[in-house]
Amino acid sequence: MKVSIVQHTIRCDDLKWNLKHLDELLGEPSGAGLYVLTETFATGFMAEGATAQAGKQAEQVLAWMKYQAAWLHAAVAGSVAMVDELGQLRNRLYFVRPDGTFDFYDKRHLFAYAGENRDYVAGDRRVVVAWQGVRFLLQVCYDLRFPVFSRNRGDYDAMIYVANWPDKRRDVWQTLLKARAIENQCFVVGVNRVGSDQACNYVGDSVVIDAYGRTVAGCTSATEQVVTAELNMDELRRFREKFPVLDDADNFSA
């Protein structure tokens, strides 16, 4: 299947502008079966103070994702600051299909360094979504630093990481995305924003990596881009059969 990674800028807490801008950036369908946006793509990453509007915004953003999925004839993934049925703030990664159905994953590892753990509630489950013959593990930004939680148990073929990852830690982003692909014998789809906010600058480095650690496709500069890559499942299966690393993995659970 084909995946389009959407590397874009975000205006902090400007929902209307962000959604309209993404309408323009997505434009005509690329033929991909999945479009991946960034972490908190509609508002920007706000570790604190996002509670007031998060519930209403999340409903609007989810409706927009459903519309886009139908228009693009593809699934759309991206994370949203939202309030759950218990009134708790979540950093929720939605995976929305063209028929309007969806799955979601709540960010497990909250970025305490920026205070995300003070306002948000962490998720407590791994989520794998099957779509067009590929099983995707859903992950958000800081989750990238925790390999035990994302360890391949033979239950997925590709990992999705959506992020607001700052430029001063770009080497970590690039290194860990490649490590996750190699150690789990899977594709990794990493989508990061560009631009800046009150705290950080962002240079993107959005990329699709294969199980060998090779770049299949990626954004070549710190600019807004939509790049499409093909996930070759036949090649992945042949590699896993020829070199069955996962059969020798340590037996543990997270």
Side-chain angles (χ1 to χ4, degrees):
M1 71 168 295
K2 292 183 179 179
V3 176
S4 285
I5 53 178
V6 185
Q7 180 171 284
H8 59 92
T9 189
I10 306 172
R11 283 190 183 178
C12 185
D13 203 21
D14 193 340
L15 179 69
K16 182 177 180 180
W17 186 91
N18 290 323
L19 296 186
K20 184 176 185 298
H21 183 64
L22 283 170
D23 284 337
E24 297 167 352
L25 187 62
L26 290 172
E28 294 298 321
S30 68
L34 170 64
Y35 291 74
V36 184
L37 309 175
T38 65
E39 179 185 24
T40 55
F41 65 87
T43 59
F45 180 73
M46 295 178 288
E48 299 178 277
T51 309
Q53 295 298 321
K56 292 180 180 178
Q57 288 180 338
E59 292 179 6
Q60 185 176 346
V61 176
L62 182 57
W64 177 88
M65 294 179 76
K66 291 179 180 180
Y67 172 83
Q68 286 293 337
W71 158 249
L72 295 167
H73 304 290
V76 175
S79 100
V80 180
M82 60 83 64
V83 174
D84 66 17
E85 62 279 2
L86 299 177
Q88 302 172 125
L89 190 59
R90 303 275 189 172
N91 188 338
R92 179 163 289 180
L93 173 53
Y94 285 107
F95 189 102
V96 181
R97 303 175 189 85
D99 64 0
T101 61
F102 62 90
D103 289 294
F104 65 84
Y105 159 72
D106 290 335
K107 186 177 183 180
R108 173 69 182 88
H109 299 94
L110 301 178
F111 193 42
Y113 181 79
E116 187 179 19
N117 60 319
R118 289 194 290 269
D119 280 0
Y120 288 76
V121 173
D124 59 4
R125 64 188 182 102
R126 283 173 35 131
V127 176
V128 175
V129 176
W131 177 245
Q132 294 190 351
V134 182
R135 300 169 299 169
F136 292 94
L137 177 70
L138 306 184
Q139 302 276 274
V140 178
C141 202
Y142 192 45
D143 287 329
L144 180 60
R145 288 181 176 266
F146 301 92
V148 174
F149 183 67
S150 63
R151 184 64 168 153
N152 197 338
R153 305 169 188 173
D155 57 345
Y156 66 82
D157 309 302
M159 309 171 79
I160 294 175
Y161 284 99
V162 301
N164 276 215
W165 198 285
D167 63 348
K168 57 189 173 184
R169 289 188 284 275
R170 67 183 304 195
D171 286 345
V172 177
W173 169 257
Q174 295 168 337
T175 300
L176 293 184
L177 287 174
K178 187 172 289 190
R180 297 293 90 84
I182 294 169
E183 70 194 11
N184 292 297
Q185 282 196 310
C186 69
F187 292 101
V188 167
V189 179
V191 183
N192 186 31
R193 66 162 293 182
V194 292
S196 61
D197 60 20
Q198 67 273 22
C200 300
N201 295 316
Y202 306 89
V203 293
D205 294 321
S206 302
V207 69
V208 178
I209 301 170
D210 70 11
Y212 293 90
R214 303 174 304 198
T215 297
V216 179
C219 296
T220 55
S221 63
T223 59
E224 294 187 303
Q225 301 174 54
V226 179
V227 175
T228 302
E230 184 170 354
L231 306 187
N232 189 324
M233 289 298 296
D234 289 335
E235 183 178 277
L236 177 61
R237 281 189 285 267
R238 286 194 294 269
F239 178 46
R240 287 176 169 178
E241 290 171 0
K242 178 182 178 181
F243 191 53
V245 172
L246 297 179
D247 290 349
D248 298 324
D250 298 305
N251 184 22
F252 60 82
S253 60

